[in-house]
Amino acid sequence: MKRLVCLAVLLIAAAVFVSGYGVTRAVTYQSYYVGEGETLWEIASEHMVEQDKTRDVRELIHDIAEYNGLHGKTLQAGQKIIIPLEKEVKK
């Protein structure tokens, strides 16, 4: 009987976790042209107001670098990058 109760609790917890409490993430993409001397940190910080409040600027920096293949590369003035912005949306 204990096993059955434990299994039921685990299944309920898994269902709640998978459902995301009625929230999903929507990603929008914005084009951005890099200005002279700008860093990913500055660019990401400027766009945090459009971002989900639970995210950290470092996550956005990572997402920008990954989406644009920028890991280990220097930004150039005039370079066009795409900024992937995530927001939570109620289902």
Side-chain angles (χ1 to χ4, degrees), residues 19-36:
S19 71
Y21 298 101
V23 174
T24 188
R25 292 198 177 277
V27 180
T28 58
Y29 300 92
Q30 287 187 0
S31 296
Y32 183 84
Y33 289 91
V34 178
E36 185 69 38

Side-chain angles (χ1 to χ4, degrees), residues 41-59:
W41 185 275
E42 292 168 330
I43 295 166
S45 295
E46 289 175 19
H47 287 83
M48 284 305 291
V49 294
E50 304 165 57
Q51 202 48 110
D52 179 25
K53 302 294 183 224
T54 62
R55 297 190 79 213
D56 184 82
V57 69
R58 291 169 290 191
E59 292 175 292

Side-chain angles (χ1 to χ4, degrees), residues 66-78:
E66 183 141 323
Y67 190 85
N68 293 281
L70 298 175
H71 293 290
K73 296 184 180 171
T74 304
L75 293 174
Q76 303 296 319

Side-chain angles (χ1 to χ4, degrees), residues 75-87:
L75 293 174
Q76 303 296 319
Q79 179 180 359
K80 179 182 175 183
I81 60 173
I82 304 298
I83 301 174
L85 300 167
E86 282 189 23
K87 283 224 179 209

